[in-house]
């Protein structure tokens, strides 16, 4: 059952996103920060950005339930649990924090569909090439963008995700970054993607009465040939979340970056 977000959860996410966008304060790319945070929270569940109920239309559309899924930067989120309840049969969860990984292992010790391993998303050499059908990231790339050497960290992560995906595999990136600040990170050497973009408001966002609204948030957002939002396009929610559905293409295949 979908749990409602309380005021503290909404406030915590707003503060975290604001801090990330300012690029100051906490080092969200540091394992020590997350270890301390998870110890303080005592294992309480928390989903960044969106819960599975909001993301389900996109996940179910592009990722069969039989897929082998890698959840990067899993934290203490309930999303993997919710996906198992929805029929997904194998989800490998990784996080840079050994503290949260041990907490989640104990929590889901009897759920055979879920596995948890401590790992840095920038070096996932434990896994062999093309070993996953889908990789999901909900905020991990954003966290790396707040740490030192952000462009290098982002490049390492994207190249590792590309290496681990099977041909035609799907990378679902949920981020606060619009195409102007995210697409160039996707264009790493040896990475070939076909990308579809969706934009959804943050949980609890209320549309202003009388304002014009897009027909559905489950419709893809049209992008320019260069992979940018159309001129004058402004999301209804200024703090919207961007969902990039990235299909891995064979090396050297000449295809447009966006669909």
């Amino acid at each position: 059952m979908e749990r409602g977000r309380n005021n503290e959860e909404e406030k915590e996410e707003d503060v975290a996103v604001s801090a990330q966008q300012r690029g100051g304060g906490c080092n969200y790319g540091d394992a020590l920060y997350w270890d301390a945070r998870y110890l303080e929270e005592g294992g309480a569940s928390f989903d960044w950005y969106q819960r599975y109920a909001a993301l389900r239309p996109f996940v179910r559309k592009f990722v069969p339930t039989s897929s082998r899924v890698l959840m990067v930067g899993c934290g203490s989120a309930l999303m993997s649990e919710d996906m198992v309840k929805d029929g997904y049969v194998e989800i490998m969860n990784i996080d840079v924090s050994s503290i949260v990984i041990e907490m989640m292992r104990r929590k889901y010790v009897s759920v055979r569909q879920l596995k948890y391993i401590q790992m840095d998303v920038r070096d996932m050499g434990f896994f062999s090439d093309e070993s996953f059908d889908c990789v999901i990231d909900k905020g991990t790339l954003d966290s790396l963008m707040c740490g030192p050497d952000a462009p290098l960290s982002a490049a390492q992560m994207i190249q590792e995700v590309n290496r681990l995906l099977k041909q035609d595999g799907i990378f679902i990136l949920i981020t606060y970054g619009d195409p102007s600040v995210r697409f160039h990170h996707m264009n790493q050497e040896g990475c070939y993607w076909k990308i579809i973009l969706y934009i959804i408001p943050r949980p609890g966002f209320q549309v202003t009465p009388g304002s014009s609204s897009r027909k559905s948030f489950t419709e893809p957002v049209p992008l320019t040939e260069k992979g940018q939002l159309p001129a004058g396009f402004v999301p209804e929610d200024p703090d919207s979340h961007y969902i990039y559905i990235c299909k891995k293409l064979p090396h050297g295949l000449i295809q447009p970056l966006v669909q």
Side-chain angles (χ1 to χ4, degrees), residues 64-231:
T65 55
S66 59
S67 300
R68 188 180 189 218
V69 178
L70 174 64
M71 187 77 65
V72 297
C74 62
S76 58
L78 293 173
M79 182 162 171
S80 294
E81 174 188 336
D82 291 340
M83 288 179 65
V84 168
K85 291 178 180 177
D86 199 26
Y88 286 88
V89 298
E90 185 177 2
I91 304 177
M92 176 66 69
N93 300 270
I94 70 165
D95 199 281
V96 72
S97 170
S98 60
I99 299 298
V100 78
I101 287 297
E102 184 57 32
M103 289 176 174
M104 299 299 273
R105 279 177 180 163
R106 291 198 300 266
K107 181 177 181 179
Y108 294 112
V109 64
S110 62
V111 182
R112 60 177 178 77
Q113 298 94 331
L114 297 177
K115 297 291 185 292
Y116 289 85
I117 300 178
Q118 189 276 331
M119 193 176 298
D120 190 323
V121 72
R122 293 166 291 190
D123 181 5
M124 297 184 285
F126 177 83
F127 301 122
S128 59
D129 295 357
E130 299 188 6
S131 54
F132 291 94
D133 301 290
C134 173
V135 177
I136 300 176
D137 168 29
K138 190 153 60 82
T140 302
L141 180 60
D142 290 2
S143 294
L144 292 178
M145 295 308 300
C146 297
D149 299 320
L152 175 60
S153 292
Q156 291 171 330
M157 172 182 167
I158 296 302
Q159 288 172 340
E160 278 290 84
V161 168
N162 177 73
R163 180 181 67 81
L164 294 182
L165 277 174
K166 298 176 182 178
Q167 295 300 329
D168 297 325
I170 298 295
F171 175 34
I172 301 180
L173 172 65
I174 301 105
T175 169
Y176 65 75
D178 67 38
S180 69
V181 295
R182 287 293 176 265
F183 261 46
H184 66 282
H185 292 299
M186 300 301 298
N187 284 327
Q188 299 300 324
E189 183 177 358
C191 298
Y192 302 88
W193 308 101
K194 191 166 189 177
I195 299 176
I196 303 174
L197 175 66
Y198 298 89
I199 302 177
I200 60 176
R202 67 188 186 278
F205 174 75
Q206 299 294 324
V207 177
T208 303
S211 66
S212 59
S213 176
R214 287 201 303 118
K215 183 177 180 180
S216 172
F217 292 113
T218 58
E219 294 180 357
V221 177
L223 296 171
T224 69
E225 290 184 359
K226 294 184 178 181
Q228 300 302 307
L229 294 172

Side-chain angles (χ1 to χ4, degrees), residues 49-76:
Y49 298 178
Q50 301 281 341
R51 288 290 307 276
Y52 178 62
L55 300 172
R56 183 179 187 271
F58 313 105
V59 176
R60 290 303 298 260
K61 181 175 181 178
F62 295 100
V63 185
T65 55
S66 59
S67 300
R68 188 180 189 218
V69 178
L70 174 64
M71 187 77 65
V72 297
C74 62
S76 58

